[in-house]
Amino acid sequence: MSTPVILALTAGEPAGIGPELCLQLATESREAGLVVVASRPMLQARARELGIQVELQEWQPGKLPETRAGRLSVRHVEGCHSSVAGQLHTGNSQYVLDTLTIAATGCLQGDFDGMVTAPVHKGVINEAGIAFSGHTEFLQALCGVERVVMMLATEELRVALVTTHLPLKDVPGAITQERLAQVTRILNADLKTFFGLEHPRILVAGLNPHAGEGGHLGREEIEVIEPTLETLRAEGMQLTGPLPADTLFTPHWLDNADAALAMYHDQGLPVLKFQGFGRAVNITLGLPIVRTSVDHGTALDLAGTGKADAGSLHTAIRVAGRMARCRQAVQAGDPS
């Protein structure tokens, strides 16, 4: 029998919909072994507010999580100062980061096979005086890796990014041959390790309209992207591009590809979210751990109403489980 997969699930911003999405999981039995990393009193208060009957059981490393309806395993985290739905509180900021640290550290130590994250609120964390640009960068620093890659995926489409949370004016300067090569190597390697693709086929977008129009609309394609792709092709990678972003995301190209690589955040993600918002998953590649997340924000206006849709969370859990099992198979020498 295969070893059960255990995933840590951080509940995210207490004022947002993350806690109730976690609680919704207890309304039915689950195949996945989930441990919610959060404040137990905060979860209890939200459950009472929503009328969700749930027994929160303390989890310890080495213990199999609860999968029965009406029960959730919880790794309690101290420091949640306010649990009022829809009302941000800067005093919760360190607590939110502590949940991420505990989950990621548990993955590194082997207590968890991966982590799934509910949404956090970047603004309130920064208002608390803590520099924070997102889960991706936080986990990169915590795991001590030089480069990570953000990839969003649905069942039909995977889109990875060369740059993530940067002002648009800073994007061209950030796209260097070194960075592009690092990102593409990580994407190629993790598509093999976590998705079982022996020879990944990757489409690469240009930076400028029409992929630079032969240098008339920008020279980044000529001076940075094309030379880098030639080097990587010589290493055996299957790369197509640079392609104009406005035609890359069409069946002509996507039907014969495993992933697309966009140069910046709003070049690739609007297409993916239009195609599958609410059932997409955010994946961090390049880490020594499995990490997935929902594809939406904290939705403060929905918090406490019971109307939040857990579709993306279910997808994130399902994908994290698949990634963990695929890595186990690859490590065991059975890529099938």
Side-chain angles (χ1 to χ4, degrees):
M1 294 179 63
S2 60
T3 303
V5 169
I6 300 176
L7 302 175
L9 171 58
T10 58
E13 166 56 48
I17 62 174
E20 57 204 78
L21 294 180
C22 294
L23 291 166
Q24 285 182 29
L25 298 172
T27 61
E28 56 188 13
S29 61
R30 304 165 298 284
E31 292 185 7
L34 296 173
V35 177
V36 179
V37 182
S39 162
R40 182 187 294 166
M42 181 272 294
L43 291 173
Q44 289 172 331
R46 190 63 57 84
R48 287 194 299 269
E49 185 178 353
L50 295 170
I52 297 176
Q53 300 296 318
V54 58
E55 181 181 337
L56 303 178
Q57 298 195 340
E58 182 66 23
W59 176 86
Q60 299 292 338
K63 182 180 179 181
L64 288 177
E66 277 288 349
T67 58
R68 289 175 290 180
R71 301 186 183 187
L72 277 180
S73 292
V74 177
R75 165 56 167 94
H76 173 64
V77 181
E78 296 284 351
C80 183
H81 295 283
S82 173
S83 59
V84 180
Q87 296 184 23
L88 295 171
H89 191 295
T90 55
N92 289 335
S93 298
Q94 187 58 54
Y95 152 79
V96 170
L97 298 184
D98 287 346
T99 65
L100 298 177
T101 299
I102 289 169
T105 302
C107 291
L108 291 170
Q109 294 174 343
D111 297 330
F112 304 119
D113 298 296
M115 61 184 291
V116 179
T117 57
V120 299
H121 195 285
K122 301 182 185 71
V124 75
I125 295 175
N126 282 279
E127 288 173 11
I130 304 172
F132 180 81
S133 58
H135 282 105
T136 303
E137 296 82 359
F138 181 85
L139 293 172
Q140 174 186 356
L142 190 150
C143 292
V145 296
E146 183 180 359
R147 179 77 61 197
V148 292
V149 177
M150 178 188 289
M151 182 174 79
L152 267 75
T154 64
E155 293 292 342
E156 302 87 7
L157 178 64
R158 303 183 185 99
V159 179
L161 304 175
V162 177
T163 63
T164 54
H165 301 120
L166 287 179
L168 192 56
K169 65 181 178 60
D170 296 336
V171 169
I175 300 174
T176 63
Q177 290 192 25
E178 178 184 14
R179 184 186 192 122
L180 178 57
Q182 284 181 323
V183 168
T184 309
R185 288 189 179 110
I186 290 170
L187 174 60
N188 188 72
D190 282 6
L191 286 172
K192 294 179 180 181
T193 300
F194 295 117
F195 295 90
L197 298 169
E198 188 173 355
H199 300 291
R201 301 163 299 173
I202 301 171
L203 305 177
V204 182
L207 172 65
N208 298 293
H210 300 182
E213 196 76 73
H216 295 288
L217 295 176
R219 297 192 58 80
E220 286 83 1
E221 287 77 12
I222 295 172
E223 297 174 0
V224 177
I225 301 175
E226 291 176 1
T228 303
L229 298 188
E230 284 302 313
T231 298
L232 297 175
R233 289 188 188 104
E235 297 176 7
M237 296 187 201
Q238 296 192 64
L239 308 172
T240 302
L243 298 170
D246 63 345
T247 55
L248 181 157
F249 295 101
T250 59
H252 171 77
W253 295 109
L254 293 177
D255 286 351
N256 295 295
D258 298 303
L261 181 60
M263 292 296 119
Y264 57 95
H265 189 280
D266 282 12
Q267 182 185 58
L269 298 195
V271 178
L272 183 134
K273 291 193 176 186
F274 176 78
Q275 191 259 0
F277 188 74
R279 55 185 181 86
V281 57
N282 188 341
I283 304 165
T284 304
L285 304 178
L287 296 172
I289 64 176
V290 171
R291 182 262 169 165
T292 67
S293 182
V294 295
D295 68 347
H296 55 74
T298 53
L300 297 174
D301 58 325
L302 285 178
T305 67
K307 297 179 180 179
D309 186 345
S312 182
L313 179 59
H314 284 292
T315 303
I317 292 169
R318 184 167 60 251
V319 171
R322 288 177 185 169
M323 291 174 65
R325 292 185 189 93
C326 189
R327 181 174 62 177
Q328 289 174 349
V330 170
Q331 292 174 340
D334 179 19
S336 62

